[in-house]
Amino acid sequence: MTTLLLTLFAFAFGWLLWTLGEYVLHRFAMHELHGKGIMSREHLLHHVRADWHLAYTNVLSWIGVGLVGGLIWTPLFWYLTGSLAVGLGVAAGWAFGYGVYEYCHAQAHLRGPSGPYSRWLRVHHFHHHFGHPMSNHGVSVPWWDRVFGTLERPERVRVPRRLAMGWLLDDDGELRPEWAHDYELVGSATADERTAALDKARAFASVAPAD
Ligand SMILES: [Zn+2]
Ligand SMILES: [Zn+2]
C-alpha cells in the first residue's frame, strides 16, 4: 500500500478514535465526576445554562487534544506500525474529529438544523440536555451510545422555556412552527432564584432540568 493510502486510513482511524474519546470523556470524565475537576465542572455549567460561547476553556481543550495526539497517538502508532506517517495521520484524524465535534456542538446551540444530519444531531443532543443527561453521550455520532446501551431516541424533546435555544423561538418567545415536530416548550420563560439553584443542583447530579 502506498504511504498516502496508509496515511488516509490512519486519518480515518484517528477520527474514529476521536468519536470514542468524545463518548468516553463526555460520559466518564464529565458526567460521572459530578463537577470534580475543571473539565467536569465546565461541562456541567454548560448544562446549567444550555448555551454556547467561546471561552478560554476552548483553548485549553484544543491544547489537551493536541497533546494527546502529539504525545500519545503519534509515538504509539509510529511504534506499532513502524511508520511515522501513520502516527501523524492518526493524530491528525483525532484532532480533525475534535474540530468537527466542536463545530457541530456550537452550531447546534446557536443555529437551527439545515439538513437530516444536523436535525438528528440536535434532537440527539438536546435530549441529552433536557431529557436524560446520562443518555446520548456521543454528540457527532450515535454508534458508541448504541454499543454501550445509552442511545435514546425521544419522540419529541421537551425544552424548558427558560433554557430554550434562541433559534427555537419566534419574536414572542413561542416555538417556531417548523420545529414543532421535534420539540415542545414546557414551564415558564423566567427563572427565579430557587429555579436557578435547582437547575444547578440537577445539572451537577446529571439529572434533567425540571419543567
Ligand atoms: Zn450542549
Ligand atoms: Zn453533557
Side-chain angles (χ1 to χ4, degrees):
M1 216 183 313
T2 66
T3 309
L4 179 66
L5 207 57
L6 209 60
T7 309
L8 283 176
F9 256 116
F11 183 87
F13 179 80
W15 189 348
L16 183 70
L17 198 60
W18 164 259
T19 63
L20 179 61
E22 178 184 300
Y23 181 93
V24 168
L25 290 171
H26 188 191
R27 178 172 174 181
F28 296 104
M30 296 175 187
H31 283 282
E32 295 276 4
L33 287 184
H34 299 296
K36 279 191 230 82
I38 184 174
M39 197 174 3
S40 178
R41 189 175 67 245
E42 288 299 319
H43 181 69
L44 296 175
L45 285 173
H46 168 63
H47 274 260
V48 175
R49 296 183 297 258
D51 62 0
W52 193 94
H53 51 263
L54 204 60
Y56 78 100
T57 46
N58 294 89
V59 179
L60 289 185
S61 303
W62 270 108
I63 293 172
V65 166
L67 286 176
V68 171
L71 298 179
I72 299 176
W73 302 141
T74 301
L76 177 68
F77 287 95
W78 185 6
Y79 173 76
L80 290 176
T81 64
S83 162
L84 175 61
V86 168
L88 291 172
V90 172
W94 162 264
F96 183 76
Y98 174 70
V100 169
Y101 151 76
E102 266 291 7
Y103 177 77
C104 290
H105 181 227
Q107 290 296 307
H109 281 274
L110 300 173
R111 282 187 188 81
S114 55
Y117 172 70
S118 59
R119 180 181 169 188
W120 165 82
L121 186 142
R122 281 157 181 71
V123 169
H124 181 76
H125 184 61
F126 291 117
H127 177 69
H128 168 76
H129 269 278
F130 305 126
H132 188 194
M134 290 313 288
S135 71
N136 297 1
H137 294 288
V139 175
S140 61
V141 299
W143 52 69
W144 299 111
D145 281 296
R146 188 178 287 282
V147 168
F148 296 114
T150 52
L151 184 66
E152 288 185 1
R153 287 166 195 251
E155 199 129 292
R156 233 186 239 135
V157 182
R158 291 164 52 86
V159 184
R161 278 173 201 273
R162 66 186 178 284
L163 299 173
M165 304 74 83
W167 57 263
L168 213 52
L169 307 175
D170 64 17
D171 293 340
D172 300 321
E174 291 302 324
L175 184 69
R176 287 181 183 274
E178 60 262 47
W179 314 129
H181 192 74
D182 292 332
Y183 301 89
E184 58 182 303
L185 292 174
V186 294
S188 78
T190 51
D192 55 22
E193 231 169 81
R194 193 180 152 274
T195 315
L198 198 62
D199 277 346
K200 186 165 182 197
R202 290 176 77 101
F204 275 71
S206 289
V207 176
D211 290 358

